[in-house]
């Protein structure tokens, strides 16, 4: 699953936001079930950021957010989060090496190239 959390960051806070969110991402990366993550900022609206992470499942993501290493860095930034659903089940994927994982759960996906 992927988790996408968007943040509305006021101009004065933008300078330190990437550094502070990097600490959150580093803490998340040390959590069980973490696969990958990135922080991005829109090119059309520099005050809108997104933290995108990939997890083995929603439970791993939710437990990581409550972790003792994550909470102190994450909670102060959560006030800038856009209030919207952020956990997404992957329905279709096109991995770099090819192959279609449409309609199959994580346990049913194979690495077979089509």
């Amino acid at each position: 699953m992927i988790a996408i959390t968007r943040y509305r960051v006021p101009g004065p806070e933008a300078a330190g936001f990437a550094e502070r969110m990097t600490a959150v991402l580093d803490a998340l990366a040390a959590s069980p079930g973490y696969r990958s993550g990135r922080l991005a900022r829109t090119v059309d609206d520099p005050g809108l950021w997104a933290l995108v992470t990939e997890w083995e499942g929603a439970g791993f993501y939710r437990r990581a957010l409550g972790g003792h290493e994550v909470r102190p860095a994450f909670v102060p930034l959560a006030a800038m989060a856009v209030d919207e659903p952020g956990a997404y089940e992957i329905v279709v994927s096109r991995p770099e090496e090819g192959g279609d994982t449409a309609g199959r759960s994580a346990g049913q996906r194979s690495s077979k190239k089509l």
Side-chain angles (χ1 to χ4, degrees), residues 1 27-28 30-34 55-71 74:
M1 60 89 42
L28 290 172
S31 301
Y34 175 88
W55 299 86
E56 290 179 23
F60 288 104
Y61 168 66
R62 292 186 176 122
R63 282 188 294 279
L65 289 180
H68 296 295
E69 300 80 19
V70 174
R71 287 186 64 75
F74 178 71

Side-chain angles (χ1 to χ4, degrees), residues 9-61:
V9 181
E13 300 203 31
F17 184 77
E19 183 178 327
R20 294 173 65 197
M21 191 54 76
T22 298
V24 171
L25 190 55
D26 288 345
L28 290 172
S31 301
Y34 175 88
R35 289 186 177 169
S36 68
R38 58 191 72 74
L39 177 64
R41 181 167 57 175
T42 64
V43 295
D44 297 321
D45 180 355
L48 187 60
W49 296 68
L51 178 66
V52 181
T53 54
E54 185 175 351
W55 299 86
E56 290 179 23
F60 288 104
Y61 168 66

